[in-house]
Amino acid sequence: MATDTFNQQGFDFIPPLYSEEEILEIVNTIEVNTKDKVNFRRSNNLFAIRRFLLEIPEVLPLVFTQKLKSILTELLGENYFLVKSIYFDKPADSNWYVAYHQDLTISVNQKIDTESFGPWTVKPDNYAVQPPLAILEQMVTLRIHLDDTSAENGALYIIPESHNKGILRPELIDWSNTTEKVCPVEKGGIMLMKPLLLHSSKRTTNLQPRKVIHLEFANAALPNGLEWAERWNWKA
């Protein structure tokens, strides 16, 4: 992993970090701890757990191995903390298209009207709000892939370096002069990305499942009494 490349391009990859046995243990732990719970998002197209590490703390030592902590230390240094965790399980017949977008909101515990924060959205168990650009620019996302993910199987398509252009309106982009890149990831591997990087995903064509752990990290204290909904020190 080259930190300079990541900062310039807005994305990078880490080769498989988890073994088949480790992935199986993570998946089994999730299944055991969600079997009788109904408060997670379930449909024929998607199973999702927001506030994933808070809902299933049993996976913490399985996900945050010493290998991952070493990579996070190299990438983020000492001042970053986790601010969001989501688990996605898209079944083999889950098949929808996600248009190009940037991840522009953060999750906070309560709504406090604050200058340069907005618009606001009510989410289960927290609020989502668009913060100032400076906060979004320093954030980092890790996507841990628990299945092989290819162009035929929901891998992200991204626009390299688009994170350097502030907040973009995809409908105003000159796509004739824009380079698109597909981002396949091996099972157990990790994709790193900046939330402001334009990204999308196409419909699956190979009917393979896609399980992903989505983690977001930040290093900014929020003003005016606002608090991150899921702040956790991964170094502890």
Side-chain angles (χ1 to χ4, degrees):
M1 179 187 64
T3 303
D4 290 344
T5 300
F6 171 60
N7 288 329
Q8 178 182 350
Q9 296 291 315
F11 70 99
D12 205 348
F13 304 98
I14 298 171
L17 197 68
Y18 300 88
S19 67
E20 287 281 353
E21 292 76 15
E22 289 172 321
I23 292 171
L24 182 60
E25 188 173 7
I26 291 171
V27 172
N28 286 343
T29 299
I30 295 169
E31 290 178 353
V32 167
N33 285 279
T34 58
K35 184 179 298 184
D36 300 320
K37 296 183 179 180
V38 296
N39 58 325
F40 302 129
R41 181 179 174 184
R42 298 174 186 267
S43 70
N44 292 333
N45 290 324
L46 176 67
F47 174 42
I49 305 174
R50 294 189 179 276
R51 297 162 64 98
F52 171 56
L53 299 178
L54 291 177
E55 294 284 356
I56 309 180
E58 292 84 357
V59 302
L60 277 168
L62 307 179
V63 173
F64 283 84
T65 63
Q66 192 55 52
K67 288 181 180 178
L68 181 61
K69 288 183 176 182
S70 295
I71 287 171
L72 289 173
T73 298
E74 177 187 350
L75 176 69
L76 303 177
E78 295 297 324
N79 296 324
Y80 276 75
F81 42 87
L82 183 133
V83 296
K84 184 181 292 186
S85 62
I86 308 173
Y87 172 72
F88 295 105
D89 181 357
K90 296 182 179 180
D93 58 355
S94 171
N95 196 16
W96 75 86
Y97 169 77
V98 179
Y100 268 104
H101 65 283
Q102 298 167 298
D103 293 337
L104 297 177
T105 64
I106 61 173
S107 296
V108 295
N109 280 337
Q110 58 182 317
K111 181 178 179 180
I112 303 174
D113 289 331
T114 302
E115 184 178 358
S116 301
F117 282 75
W120 290 81
T121 305
V122 178
K123 299 280 187 179
D125 301 321
N126 61 69
Y127 292 87
V129 63
Q130 183 172 320
L133 182 62
I135 291 178
L136 294 171
E137 287 177 331
Q138 53 77 42
M139 293 180 66
V140 173
T141 297
L142 270 71
R143 292 170 55 91
I144 302 171
H145 287 250
L146 304 180
D147 293 298
D148 287 322
T149 309
S150 67
E152 294 76 33
N153 188 36
L156 290 185
Y157 283 74
I158 58 96
I159 307 299
E161 301 186 25
S162 55
H163 68 297
N164 291 319
K165 300 178 181 179
I167 295 174
L168 300 170
R169 293 178 60 184
E171 66 271 19
L172 299 181
I173 294 173
D174 180 5
W175 293 103
S176 64
N177 292 317
T178 300
T179 300
E180 182 181 60
K181 177 179 175 61
V182 64
C183 298
V185 182
E186 291 182 67
K187 185 176 185 179
I190 297 174
M191 181 176 176
L192 305 167
M193 61 180 286
K194 297 280 191 174
L196 287 173
L197 189 76
L198 278 170
H199 57 285
S200 73
S201 62
K202 302 186 188 305
R203 293 180 174 86
T204 181
T205 58
N206 66 0
L207 298 179
Q208 296 299 310
R210 291 147 290 167
K211 293 187 288 293
V212 175
I213 297 172
H214 174 106
L215 306 174
E216 295 182 15
F217 298 84
N219 66 0
L222 301 178
N224 197 34
L226 290 173
E227 295 182 359
W228 297 96
E230 197 179 345
R231 178 167 177 162
W232 180 68
N233 182 1
W234 54 270
K235 300 176 287 296

